[in-house]
Amino acid sequence: NQDMYRCFTMPSGLTTDKFLQGLEIVPGNPSIVHHVLVFADTTGTCQQLDDNDPLPGYTSFGGVGTNSAQLIGLWAPGGEYKPLPNGTGVKIPANADIVLQIHYPA
């Protein structure tokens, strides 16, 4: 009966900086996902928060638990995949963790 904001952290596996030109998010069950925010975290803070929570991911409202994480993309129902123009992109630093904050409404 309450909104839930759950964050899931995964290593990017990048050994050098890369530029993201497009991002597509396809929820397994879009009827229970309100929106998804995607961040890159180079501090390790999000992984530590994830490790400290016994459930998959961790709860965090209003962000992913660190002001150092960079917003790199988002999805909301009705959103369309639109790649950035050639020659442009969002920088993802080497060794960054990718963090998904998923909003599940009440």
Side-chain angles (χ1 to χ4, degrees):
N1 294 329
Q2 293 181 323
D3 285 3
M4 181 185 302
Y5 293 83
R6 202 82 186 148
C7 298
F8 302 93
T9 304
M10 62 200 98
S12 67
L14 298 175
T15 56
T16 61
D17 295 350
K18 297 288 183 180
F19 289 85
L20 180 70
Q21 189 174 359
L23 175 68
E24 183 176 26
I25 298 170
V26 181
N29 186 347
S31 67
I32 64 167
V33 176
H34 184 264
H35 70 266
V36 179
L37 302 178
V38 184
F39 294 82
D41 175 36
T42 58
T43 67
T45 301
C46 295
Q47 185 60 58
Q48 186 175 37
L49 291 166
D50 201 341
D51 291 344
N52 290 337
D53 193 307
L55 299 174
Y58 62 97
T59 298
S60 184
F61 173 77
V64 292
T66 176
N67 291 331
S68 298
Q70 172 192 358
L71 181 66
I72 59 173
L74 55 93
W75 173 86
E80 297 179 22
Y81 171 74
K82 294 181 183 178
L84 295 172
N86 286 334
T88 66
V90 177
K91 183 179 178 181
I92 302 180
N95 302 310
D97 289 325
I98 303 300
V99 186
L100 304 178
Q101 183 197 54
I102 304 177
H103 174 205
Y104 302 98

